Amino acid sequence: MGVSLERLPALFCQRLYDGIHSGRISYSDINRLQLDQPTEIWMVLKGKPKPAAPTRSQAPRSSNFRNCSGVDGAFQVPISQKCPLSGWAHY
């Protein structure tokens, strides 16, 4: 946790309280710990920020192509075509 042994108990309790109060630690996280199942509680106790959510990449702009959205991100079709109604149609 990056602190001295003297500060460890107080910091552990403070981060546990803050994690529960902010909603980053839930009752189900505590249950997962008891069952040896994966949980992000250790990230909270270590003071690590919440992992960033993956973002969808934007397709590069080109005057000859139209940008469309699909189920797995952005893609381009020739400007003479319309974007397909289904996100699967670009394969």
Side-chain angles (χ1 to χ4, degrees):
M1 290 177 53
V3 296
S4 66
L5 288 176
E6 293 82 28
R7 288 197 54 218
L8 186 65
L11 185 63
F12 178 85
C13 291
Q14 184 64 46
R15 287 185 179 169
L16 185 62
Y17 171 80
D18 290 344
I20 292 170
H21 186 35
S22 69
R24 285 192 65 194
I25 298 175
S26 65
Y27 185 73
S28 62
D29 289 321
I30 304 298
N31 285 338
R32 282 190 214 117
L33 278 177
Q34 294 174 346
L35 300 172
D36 280 338
Q37 295 175 344
T39 179
E40 291 186 19
I41 193 170
W42 302 117
M43 299 296 281
V44 176
L45 295 177
K46 289 179 182 179
K48 305 275 181 173
K50 194 173 192 176
T55 59
R56 291 187 148 192
S57 62
Q58 244 341 30
R61 297 234 177 237
S62 172
S63 60
N64 296 330
F65 294 92
R66 176 186 318 265
N67 289 333
C68 301
S69 298
V71 294
D72 58 350
F75 64 97
Q76 293 182 330
V77 296
I79 200 75
S80 61
Q81 296 178 6
K82 291 183 179 180
C83 289
L85 296 176
S86 168
W88 298 102
H90 68 279
Y91 288 111

